[in-house]
Amino acid sequence: MNVYVGTKILKAQPMNLGDYNKHRGWDIPADEDPEKEGYLVQYSDDYQSWSPKDVFEAAYRLVSADEIK
């Protein structure tokens, strides 16, 4: 299998899993921790998802708007 490195620009804000489920209008499953830390992520096509904090912070770095041109 080949190895790839991807690059994407996205918007994100800290949001726990419980608040993400409220944002989406979903009930939190009984086996999920609503206090689990993570990020609401919005991609360039406006698709939104949630990412656990450790996964997000291992993959993305904050940049200033001046760096994106």
Side-chain angles (χ1 to χ4, degrees):
M1 201 174 263
N2 295 323
V3 176
Y4 296 86
V5 173
T7 304
K8 55 185 132 181
I9 296 174
L10 51 82
K11 296 178 183 177
Q13 68 182 45
M15 181 178 286
N16 68 34
L17 185 56
D19 288 339
Y20 175 71
N21 278 271
K22 288 178 192 172
H23 171 75
R24 297 298 296 245
W26 300 339
D27 292 329
I28 187 90
D31 62 342
E32 297 278 344
D33 177 6
E35 297 302 317
K36 185 172 184 175
E37 293 183 67
Y39 288 82
L40 169 64
V41 181
Q42 182 173 322
Y43 298 91
S44 60
D45 63 358
D46 292 331
Y47 175 78
Q48 292 186 344
S49 67
W50 184 84
S51 180
K53 181 179 179 178
D54 59 338
V55 172
F56 182 88
E57 291 180 353
Y60 299 105
R61 299 290 177 259
L62 182 63
V63 297
S64 71
D66 292 339
E67 294 178 88
I68 304 170
K69 295 191 182 193

